[in-house]
Amino acid sequence: MSSNTLTAAEASGPQKPAAGFEGDRQDNTVGGAVRGYLNKLRGGDLGALPAILGIVVLGILFTILRPGTFLTPLNLANLLVQSTPIMVLAMGLVFVLLLGEIDLSAGVVSGVCSAVLAQLLVQVGVSWPIALLAAIATGAVIGAFTGSLVGMVGIPSFVVTLALFLGFQGVTLRIIGQGGTVPVREPVVRALANENVPVTLGWILAAVVAVSYAAFELWRWRSLKSRALAHPPLVLVVVRVVLIAAVVFGVTAILSVDRALAAAIDLAGIPYAVPLVVLLLLLLTFVLSRTTFGRHMYAVGGNAEAARRAGINVTRIRVMAFVISSSLAAISGILATSRLSSVTPDAGAGNTLLYAVGAAVIGGTSLFGGRGKARDAVLGGLVIAIIANGLGLLGVAAYLNFVITGGVLLLAASVDALARRRSASTKR
Amino acid sequence: MSSNTLTAAEASGPQKPAAGFEGDRQDNTVGGAVRGYLNKLRGGDLGALPAILGIVVLGILFTILRPGTFLTPLNLANLLVQSTPIMVLAMGLVFVLLLGEIDLSAGVVSGVCSAVLAQLLVQVGVSWPIALLAAIATGAVIGAFTGSLVGMVGIPSFVVTLALFLGFQGVTLRIIGQGGTVPVREPVVRALANENVPVTLGWILAAVVAVSYAAFELWRWRSLKSRALAHPPLVLVVVRVVLIAAVVFGVTAILSVDRALAAAIDLAGIPYAVPLVVLLLLLLTFVLSRTTFGRHMYAVGGNAEAARRAGINVTRIRVMAFVISSSLAAISGILATSRLSSVTPDAGAGNTLLYAVGAAVIGGTSLFGGRGKARDAVLGGLVIAIIANGLGLLGVAAYLNFVITGGVLLLAASVDALARRRSASTKR
Amino acid sequence: ACGGDDDGGNGGSGGGGGGEAAGKIGVILPDTASSARWESADRPLLEAAFDEAGVEYDIQNAQGDAQQMATIAEQMITEGVTVLAITNLDSASGAAIQRQAEQQGVQTIDYDRLTLGGESDYYVSFDNTEVGRLQGEGLAQCLGDQPANIAYLNGSPDDNNATLFSQGAHEVLDAMDQYTVVAEQAVPDWDNQQAATIFEQMYTQAGGDIQGVLAANDGLANAVVSILGRNNAAGQVPVTGQDATVEGLQNILAGNQCMTVYKPIEQEANALAELAVALVNGEEPEVDGSVEDTEGDREVPAVLLDPVSVFRDNVKQVIDDGYQSAADVCTGAYAAACTELGIS
Amino acid sequence: MSAPEQSTTTSTLERPTLSLRGVNKSFGAVQVLHDVHLDVYPGKVTALVGDNGAGKSTLIKAIAGIHPVDSGTVEFEGKAVQVTGPRDAARLGIEVVYQDLALADNLDVVQNMFLGRERKRGIVLDEASMEEAARDTLAKLSVRTLKSVRQLVSSLSGGQRQTVAIAKAVLWESKLVILDEPTAALGVAQTRQVLDLVRRLADTGHAVVFITHNMVDVFEVADRVAALYLGRVAADVPISEVDRTQVIELITSGRSGELGLAPDALED
Amino acid sequence: MSAPEQSTTTSTLERPTLSLRGVNKSFGAVQVLHDVHLDVYPGKVTALVGDNGAGKSTLIKAIAGIHPVDSGTVEFEGKAVQVTGPRDAARLGIEVVYQDLALADNLDVVQNMFLGRERKRGIVLDEASMEEAARDTLAKLSVRTLKSVRQLVSSLSGGQRQTVAIAKAVLWESKLVILDEPTAALGVAQTRQVLDLVRRLADTGHAVVFITHNMVDVFEVADRVAALYLGRVAADVPISEVDRTQVIELITSGRSGELGLAPDALED
Ligand SMILES: Nc1ncnc2c1ncn2[C@@H]1O[C@H](COP(=O)(O)OP(=O)(O)OP(=O)(O)O)[C@@H](O)[C@H]1O
Ligand SMILES: Nc1ncnc2c1ncn2[C@@H]1O[C@H](COP(=O)(O)OP(=O)(O)OP(=O)(O)O)[C@@H](O)[C@H]1O
Ligand SMILES: [Mg+2]
Ligand SMILES: [Mg+2]
């Protein structure tokens, strides 16, 4: 009798079964696609659904409570601009969270970079492109420093960034210090959050985005199918393309209406900050899903030791995550500065960071690493911004404001949790 | 030829080797003990060393910078009282961190409980024992609520406690009232942080603690040795016992000196808050290291799925961790209230929580769960308090204060990290 | 290692070293967030005055944390301070500090904010309710007699001064029945970004039908102005402020802000310095009156100073006082306005 | 779907310790277990065999309450039971060694072995008695390279971890012991000990389920063989009724002669 | 300490792909590897055997740069090398299948197989080509129950994970392939394929180190046997010079006849 191994005759049994991978070759029907999606949901993989649900529910709620104002073009434009700084900050945090790290200093880094921007413009008097670049470069350098402490020295990121959270508050105070606040009157910087893309150009941009997305998705589907690779059913692709196009054109249409409250003036078009965020979203999504770097981010977040054994330079990935996070924090700071046209010594301190992390998590990013997307930041940021926006319209007392914000946040998070819990026993 | 399994003859080879576990039976010599300890350090298991080093280095630094004041009995008494609220808060957080969770709301929970305490004393006019119990009960109830959301509903603790962090700020604001403060003049509550144990009683307490610790450790060593169980070498035990006794009597001696600056008054003895913290430390250390509950805490933090499969009620452990954390937050709030004799609407907000987490981490508790001790909170809390105390003596500008605090925190953390890094490749 | 020793002008005690001298003055400033004045004005002014008097001193900032203020106070007493001036974060915590100081034989001064139920020996201040009154009167002046919808953007809900400012303003404006309050909200932590969102939502909710904004300080005012600017309504809606910051003055020059309340901090700082120096030298200080501590049921000898309303036509006064420099204020687009008003 | 062929020859008269009837289990869209019927008898070793991915581990996790089943009934000692978690399973008297070992890396060997069932004196853990018991049990399993039972599990070799997991399970003398590929990482001597142990457990009246890919082990210790093929029970018969080639055929193709799944069940 | 007995009979003339000389490795106070000498030849399968906890996995992790060694030299193709991390190892042409599989649970099968060596077109990942290559390699390894190569690794069975890890390693045709108990979790058919694969790798000139506890596998595919006993090399000989009983004796007691460690080396 010859042990565990098998003779050639035994290996090919009487009926050779199919060779596996049948899941990859199926050409799904519409019904199959829908069933597959429902199964996925039931399996606890909700993707963007909780955040989208949150947006819809909150939207309906506030529309009912403030019918005349919440759903107006003016308020929607406000909402989008209000949400951009947090979205950009959260996008950066997604990279750090993907690795299972945290960056408590991201908020104050945005403050430091704003301070640099302001002082360069006001005290030194450089031109705006240089000032903007310098602010972002400051962020990148800070990120490299943070990342080295975490990735090379190996201090837990919570402690590093807690220390920097404190330290950078001092730095901002020092830079802004003597004047109290630094007003930034530079027209281009101001325009970012306060001016709008001309209406026609807005439509053109929207069309470019929608059409190229559709073209790309369909081309990809065809090429996958033709090579008999795993591919989603066509219906799903079409539905997704149509939905995205609807959102893009819908938003553009709303923002192209004149939303001025005073009849005399003209206020229409997409605020510049919005295409900026869309651009960042596309760029970061590309980086995360289609490049080696992005793939390695997920690998390090999922299992750093496996990534190391696979020859990935884990240290470099860690450093880069913080560089990206801090650079985006700088951009977030620029947007915030643009909005107020000034920088205060406490810029980016307080709850800024917690809100941004909350946004990423509500969008679907895991704090334990390995799961997260750039779009999570956008969707989660929108949820957070809607809460503040709607509560502002309601004008409730300060204490209620705190309580309601907390409550809504909790609610948004429990949708996700309850759904995932069903699958809790299958995955750890 | 008969496969992988073994015949009886084969199983017992020509020379039957020793049966293993030789490490457990060794009776260590002094040299062996020291070598073992050094090996442990080299292996990256630093235990309390970084925190103790931090305390010593900071102590020397500030003594050099402020020779006349830092090492005076008055300042040391101040230092201890200043550190108690953060220590107690951090002790609670250790339980939550042990599970790999976080409690961002612990600081504001301490605020809510202080507010409850103050209003019960001032508005309702109940007696102090009832008010104190009610404050702690409030903490416990809040903890049960938080814990249920995390443990039963399954929302990530970061989001739950972020939401509660906001919500409870509103609650405190509501209880205290906008812009108001509630003064607490109750003598017993005030005494906690402001009065001292009579000197003789202080010495008696110190003796009780030191002697019972020594008796317990030696008894335990003997019983382990007599049953041929794994045991530390006697020298180590003796060294530990002597060190602890030295610290206890040393601190008592310093605090028994009259430290009043004005000659007329008399200010001597251990502040009441100190034995309270020592009591909590002993109690929580006992719970974590000697009870089933403590064991299960570590198991859930190390591998929740393994704990579940071993039949541990993981949900209960999670809920309990938050109950403990919030109850201790309440005690921390009581100490803070006692110190200022008042409660403000922003009690416990701001950086309170971050400092407490920082304290636990510097003490040696891991943010990823499974590693941590109650004493970490005490040692780390002392580090944080020394920084604030010393900087207070130096009197530097506000921005420098931020920067130096951050820098020192970073420094304290890197000692730990650099040492652990040596063993980074052996453990994940 | 990290620059631990005293750092020239920025650092604290003029003489360095420990507490060997008989007299030393301690000052604890409240925060760096509610107003820029503490670090940018009070600290240098006090340092200059103390240096001139040749006394030892230690000035620190509690960074908005009452626990930290108590710690600093303990440290100062340990360091041998004999006169302690504090700007309390709230009355009760201030009182605790003063009780402790008194026990250790240290004389105390309330600076800028009265500690109700405290033990302070003296009080030096602008009247905060008066600031609110001036803001109310200023807004009324800019609005005129026309009926108007006004919105209040108050300071941090957990800041007692914010409550006082708002009370003062209400006192004045509530009495005038041509005005309707259409919105009133407090801005947590005086956060300007949040202030912008809050005002933007007020404005949207009111359908733009807001004719005046009572903003508690220049930072909040600037947030309002930037939102109004986005809606092309800047300059048409009067906004109040406080602190006479560069930004506030520029907004006033540009016509985007109605007024600010200028508290000649130099006067206040000098008054404190004089008082403290006298005490530390064992002299009897001069005071102009006293205020009543309603909670402590006592009269506190006080030096009281008057805040000044600043409109476009008296911006010059702030600059002439040296409180802000023309170089900072009259940049770029504002140069013309400065010339017009004779500011240089 | 055809019911699996049932053996009628041996002692089915005796009451099985565990009976599964029509158990189904899916993960999302993937159905892993199809209508599983299985009986496990006291005093007998049931070898559960099947190809990689056939569903063996999923099946035993369903029994242990780690995964809830979608449908089907579970009877334990004749009574229908609902096992909704590992605690229920432990209470019934089911002990499992999982393939993906369930050990807490931050605890030492003793702590892991007694996890969830610590011995106490009053409210204090009785470390001494646990340490002694752990050392005895491990010594029986031929562990010779373990330096100390106070070593953290994270520092153990693959086989040492496997041994700790086995020792943990056999400590409790449960009515039903399930071992999922327990000997996969073990050396020759250790494997010998585990096989002996399995036999001893059965001989003292316990019901044992033994999952393995090793045919020699199957024929050495098993009394019955249950073969899973793509989530279906292809056969559940006494060992005496099959030979090695048949078992391998059942594993790789779900049929062997008249044993196994009906051809139509394979289309799906 | 005595040097291990060296074989002198076979082709030691050929230059070994890998030579270890006097390698020591401790974890804290515990010395796991003592003065290890080992040669691995191209075109040959070297079976590395030893009891549980003997130090086999530690040894190969040292070779792969996962653990830095304390002392000793490593030569690769005759040149002394410093392997300070897995990237160095990969650059030299060493590929390892670890016992504690190194897969990222949050990635799918294809992503794991190409981790660290993704195929690209420009800067964009070439998913299509990777997916095709992954599917081909897996099909060769008799994986029949895997639904999709786009399945997350977290949802795979133990054997399926093992297969993915093996497939990942063999994709690269490295000069030296090290497999740490690759067949432990595999079914009969899959084990057959892996053994064939190991033989094929050696026959095409690769050097292969194969760790296993299964004596039959050793004698089926190995050209040489190296036995570790308590961290020491007890023997490193051609397979033709030993028989099964001898190998088992070397494993369990470090000696067999004149082979093995000198008695004095065992005292320590
Ligand atoms: N959480 C899950 N989600 C989706 N599919 C899963 C999940 N867990 C297991 N599977 C699939 O179920 C099938 C059965 O897995 P199981 O682990 O029970 O196999 P097994 O018989 O134990 O195999 P092995 O011999 O390799 O251990 C596999 O095809 C696996 O991919
Ligand atoms: N990080 C570590 N710290 C301390 N001891 C360790 C560590 N890693 C391994 N060991 C010890 O080193 C010895 C060798 O372990 P190793 O994993 O190399 O054994 P192995 O030969 O691969 O065994 P197996 O056949 O069980 O896989 C074991 O006794 C183990 O306990
Ligand atoms: Mg399995
Ligand atoms: Mg091994």
Side-chain angles (χ1 to χ4, degrees), chain C residues 26-89:
Chain C
V27 180
I28 311 180
L29 303 173
D31 57 47
T32 51
S34 74
S35 159
R37 62 169 279 191
W38 306 115
E39 285 295 309
S40 63
D42 289 83
R43 181 189 284 273
L45 287 168
L46 289 171
E47 281 171 356
F50 290 145
D51 281 337
E52 194 175 325
V55 294
E56 263 200 88
Y57 61 91
D58 184 0
I59 301 172
Q60 298 202 40
N61 192 312
Q63 286 160 2
D65 182 345
Q67 296 285 344
Q68 194 170 339
M69 183 176 285
T71 301
I72 293 172
E74 282 169 4
Q75 299 318 104
M76 285 185 168
I77 295 169
T78 310
E79 279 273 289
V81 155
T82 50
V83 175
L84 178 64
I86 62 169
T87 305
N88 71 45
L89 284 164

Side-chain angles (χ1 to χ4, degrees), chain B residues 258-277:
Chain B
D258 178 9
R259 53 183 180 270
L261 287 175
I265 48 175
D266 199 47
L267 194 63
I270 304 167
Y272 281 105
V274 175
L276 176 69
V277 169

Side-chain angles (χ1 to χ4, degrees), chain D residues 51-58 60-61 99-100 180-181 211 213, chain E residues 156-159 185:
Chain D
D51 211 348
N52 289 136
K56 305 181 294 297
S57 299
T58 305
I60 64 127
K61 283 182 183 169
Q99 185 177 15
D100 45 345
D180 194 351
E181 307 197 17
I211 300 182
H213 290 293
Chain E
L156 297 188
S157 83

